[in-house]
Amino acid sequence: MSLDWIYIAISWILLRWHDLWDAIGVSDGRVLGTNWSWILSIVFLVVTLRVILFPVFVKQIKSQRAMQALQPKVKQLQEKHKGDRETLQKEMMELYKVEKANPLMGCLPMFLQIPVFLGLFHVLRRLNPDNANPTLYGWTAEQFREATHSALFTAPLPAQFGSSAADLARLGAANGTVVKIIAGILVLTMMATTYLTSRQMILKTGWAEDPQQKMIQRLMLYGIPLSLLVSGSLFPIGVVIYWVTNNLFSLAQQQWVLRKFPPPQMANGKTAATSARPNGATSAKAGAKGPQNPVQNSRTGGLFGRKPTAQPEPASPVVDTKALAPKPGAKPVNPKKGARPANKPQG
């Protein structure tokens, strides 16, 4: 299937933003070695796409909340079918179907952004002075020429960390070392913000009980950032700028949405994130304090000025005075002579 419609849509949004910055006076001339009109066009391309995808992002949060609400039932199924993975998966799929929960909904925004990323990658990769068809996808020859020679701190936007000296010469790069430094910093920033975006979501929602969901969470948290260490060297600098901007936007958006839709309270009064800690970390922390004083446990009132509840006084032993009185006619016993130990040890 042809992806030209994606390339045309991406180019149209990018060029409309460039026209806007040009209209309000942001020149294509370099300031600090940077063509800010094209940098801002890429940044606001991200803003445009994230606004369009915002309803999908809200659905993602609601789907994750629904999955969290099902965690007690999922745990019961895991205990019931322990050792029978096939039956467990069938029961869990049936549970998701009945409760209308979609475990893959949490990854939907990322999947929807993949075609956008591929489209931008293709469009920026075409920015080459030797390209024989500069007017493809709605570009004019002048726009294509300006974009081809645009740069971030003298590093051309179409350049890559792994670009050869010949490629950099065609793009007009004055210093190949500067290009590698700028590209390297951007790739590391891309990795860090990708990790923080996934970590923020997992810390707020907690680790999933479902092994499949937990595997996806680990992949997003560790696998994707590490893969960018290699693949990032093949991305044009313009694409890396898009990715970093998208991650920063995601961090701010997730923070706002998670405050507006906080994690649900579980039956024990804890949030889903707290209850999802592995190996019973919460209970172990509480148990590490050791046994408490029973008097302290019986206190009432607030945190300060608590008073212990009144404890009943021990009952005094009842003494039978008649049993202790000497019997009539009995000789008095001299305690010094006839006293014997009450409990004589037997040999």
Side-chain angles (χ1 to χ4, degrees):
M1 183 179 64
S2 175
L3 298 179
D4 286 354
W5 66 275
I6 295 179
Y7 307 147
I8 293 172
I10 295 298
S11 297
W12 188 87
I13 297 173
L14 185 66
L15 294 175
R16 296 296 76 77
W17 277 112
H18 180 265
D19 292 342
L20 176 63
W21 299 122
D22 187 58
I24 64 178
V26 179
S27 174
D28 284 330
R30 292 189 180 184
V31 178
L32 300 177
T34 303
N35 300 92
W36 293 106
S37 59
W38 287 104
I39 300 296
L40 290 173
S41 298
I42 295 175
V43 170
F44 278 84
L45 170 65
V46 174
V47 175
T48 303
L49 296 174
R50 293 311 298 261
V51 170
I52 294 173
L53 293 175
F54 183 75
V56 180
F57 183 80
V58 173
K59 287 185 178 180
Q60 174 196 19
I61 297 295
K62 291 182 177 180
S63 176
Q64 289 176 339
R65 296 293 182 266
M67 293 296 296
Q68 291 168 7
L70 292 178
Q71 292 307 308
K73 295 183 179 180
V74 170
K75 196 169 183 179
Q76 290 177 0
L77 289 177
Q78 290 174 340
E79 294 176 355
K80 180 180 179 181
H81 302 289
K82 191 174 182 180
D84 189 353
R85 189 175 184 84
E86 183 178 354
T87 304
L88 175 62
Q89 290 296 329
K90 290 181 180 179
E91 292 286 341
M92 290 177 62
M93 290 299 105
E94 185 65 23
L95 176 64
Y96 295 152
K97 183 178 179 180
V98 172
E99 299 293 340
K100 297 181 180 180
N102 187 356
L104 298 179
M105 187 65 189
C107 302
L108 183 59
M110 183 184 68
F111 291 149
L112 290 178
Q113 291 184 70
I114 290 177
V116 177
F117 171 77
L118 294 177
L120 183 64
F121 182 87
H122 178 77
V123 168
L124 292 181
R125 190 178 58 180
R126 293 187 64 256
L127 298 179
N128 190 314
D130 298 331
N131 196 320
N133 193 2
T135 59
L136 196 62
Y137 309 137
W139 290 69
T140 65
E142 181 65 17
Q143 289 171 334
F144 188 86
R145 185 191 64 81
E146 291 175 356
T148 299
H149 293 88
S150 60
L152 174 66
F153 303 122
T154 73
L157 296 186
Q160 307 169 3
F161 181 85
S163 293
S164 64
D167 293 335
L168 294 177
R170 283 198 302 271
L171 295 173
N175 192 326
T177 303
V178 173
V179 172
K180 290 189 179 299
I181 292 174
I182 297 298
I185 292 174
L186 287 172
V187 169
L188 291 177
T189 306
M190 177 174 63
M191 294 173 59
T193 52
T194 300
Y195 170 80
L196 291 175
T197 302
S198 299
R199 181 175 181 270
Q200 180 192 53
M201 181 62 70
I202 292 174
L203 287 179
K204 291 291 184 179
T205 60
W207 286 96
E209 295 287 344
D210 180 11
Q212 182 180 2
Q213 282 289 303
K214 198 168 187 178
M215 181 182 66
I216 294 175
Q217 287 179 323
R218 286 177 175 171
L219 175 63
M220 295 180 64
L221 184 62
Y222 302 113
I224 294 179
L226 287 176
S227 68
L228 294 176
L229 184 62
V230 178
S231 59
S233 63
L234 305 176
F235 295 162
I237 289 177
V239 173
V240 181
I241 293 174
Y242 166 84
W243 194 306
V244 171
T245 306
N246 186 65
N247 287 344
L248 294 175
F249 195 95
S250 296
L251 286 169
Q253 190 181 61
Q254 285 180 177
Q255 187 65 24
W256 180 85
V257 172
L258 290 171
R259 284 185 178 181
K260 191 172 182 63
F261 302 99
Q265 294 288 331
M266 308 300 286
N268 56 5
K270 302 175 184 177
T271 62
T274 304
S275 62
R277 291 175 184 171
N279 301 327
T282 304
S283 59
K285 183 177 179 181
K289 296 181 180 179
Q292 298 179 349
N293 191 331
V295 175
Q296 293 177 350
N297 289 337
S298 63
R299 290 181 177 180
T300 58
L303 178 62
F304 300 101
R306 294 185 296 180
K307 297 180 180 180
T309 56
Q311 299 292 330
E313 294 183 1
S316 300
V318 179
V319 180
D320 189 355
T321 55
K322 293 182 179 181
L324 296 178
K327 294 180 180 180
K331 294 181 180 181
V333 179
N334 189 344
K336 293 184 180 181
K337 292 183 179 181
R340 289 185 179 181
N343 296 322
K344 184 178 179 181
Q346 297 177 3

